[in-house]
Amino acid sequence: GENVEQHPSTLSVQEGDSAVIKCTYSDSASNYFPWYKQELGKGPQLIIDIRSNVGEKKDQRIAVTLNKTAKHFSLHITETQPEDSAVYFCAASISINDMRFGAGTRLTVKP
Amino acid sequence: KAGVTQTPRYLIKTRGQQVTLSCSPISGHRSVSWYQQTPGQGLQFLFEYFSETQRNKGNFPGRFSGRQFSNSRSEMNVSTLELGDSALYLCASSLAAGVGLSGANVLTFGAGSRLTVL
């Protein structure tokens, strides 16, 4: 089955700096790669996703890149703000009923 | 549009007891997936239901079971609770007319049910 590894496990940046979280996956058949943000006391919330026919996708300060040959994808957050502090999860899947998640990255943005 | 609703939000049980958690998906969503979240293991897939049928199951013992009703609401049950079952149990719903993934077919999570086993 699919195995997703996520790095780093913790990340601390100064407000205004960029943050990058990286994930690798094992199943070359995976074609859907979402990123979720989980704030304290809440469930994970989808913030951006990318499908295998696209190499990069942007949404304001958030971008995701995908390298299918190397089987890795990354989340980039620019101009970080304190409200970006949360746990971020990547996932990889070929179907909606078997999504595999990375272990999570705790991002802290210092004011 | 109401989100995914999970009840109860918090509960405490003792070893050996059983527990039932409930999930109401977003209106119109027919697929419900369950995940277990623990600090050490992250988000682990339990099972997924669509049209009252379990389509996929993760690597959990038979003590973990679920079901889905005709209105797409779902329940999961854990019998003979163990200390290690303490976790946040998350439910997620999706349109999932099929298992394929399209622009509209994404997972939306509820806030979870936090189970503590003493």
Side-chain angles (χ1 to χ4, degrees), chain B residues 15-93:
Chain B
R15 280 181 299 174
Q17 288 186 311
Q18 67 95 24
V19 65
T20 299
L21 309 177
S22 179
C23 173
S24 293
I26 291 172
S27 178
H29 284 195
R30 296 171 63 191
S31 169
V32 174
S33 299
W34 288 89
Y35 288 81
Q36 181 194 65
Q37 184 176 24
T38 58
Q41 298 296 319
L43 279 155
Q44 301 290 312
F45 173 72
L46 280 157
F47 27 65
E48 186 256 0
Y49 288 86
F50 178 78
S51 291
E52 303 177 64
T53 300
Q54 186 182 90
R55 291 197 294 192
N56 200 7
K57 189 178 191 302
N59 189 26
F60 278 82
R63 300 185 297 108
F64 292 80
S65 63
R67 59 177 176 169
Q68 186 180 34
F69 302 95
S70 58
N71 62 358
S72 294
R73 190 176 70 85
S74 177
E75 290 181 347
M76 68 162 284
N77 184 78
V78 187
S79 62
T80 319
L81 284 166
E82 301 177 357
L83 295 179
D85 297 332
S86 294
L88 180 67
Y89 289 88
L90 291 161
C91 166
S93 73

Side-chain angles (χ1 to χ4, degrees), chain B residues 97-116:
Chain B
V99 298
L101 292 151
S102 66
N105 202 14
V106 297
L107 279 182
T108 301
F109 283 88
S113 293
R114 183 165 296 282
L115 170 65
T116 301

Side-chain angles (χ1 to χ4, degrees), chain A residues 1-100:
Chain A
E2 177 65 273
N3 182 49
V4 179
E5 294 191 358
Q6 182 173 347
H7 301 279
S9 57
T10 61
L11 179 60
S12 181
V13 300
Q14 287 294 136
E15 182 177 358
D17 287 351
S18 295
V20 180
I21 302 171
K22 298 182 179 181
C23 289
T24 60
Y25 61 99
S26 61
D27 191 343
S28 57
S30 289
N31 57 10
Y32 177 63
F33 308 92
W35 286 88
Y36 285 82
K37 174 183 180 182
Q38 186 175 27
E39 297 174 315
L40 199 61
K42 299 182 179 180
Q45 180 182 12
L46 179 69
I47 56 172
I48 195 168
D49 58 12
I50 191 167
R51 288 172 172 80
S52 61
N53 58 339
V54 177
E56 183 176 0
K57 183 177 178 181
K58 284 185 179 180
D59 183 4
Q60 299 183 336
R61 297 185 297 108
I62 294 173
V64 58
T65 59
L66 170 65
N67 183 327
K68 284 220 77 179
T69 302
K71 289 192 279 189
H72 67 70
F73 56 113
S74 301
L75 177 71
H76 304 252
I77 306 174
T78 59
E79 301 172 22
T80 53
Q81 302 167 1
E83 51 265 39
D84 293 330
S85 295
V87 179
Y88 291 81
F89 292 95
C90 64
S93 177
I94 59 173
S95 67
I96 201 71
N97 64 343
D98 190 13
M99 197 164 299
R100 304 298 169 134

Side-chain angles (χ1 to χ4, degrees), chain B residues 2-14:
Chain B
V4 178
T5 304
Q6 292 189 245
T7 57
R9 289 293 314 277
Y10 304 91
L11 67 167
I12 300 173
K13 294 285 186 178
T14 56

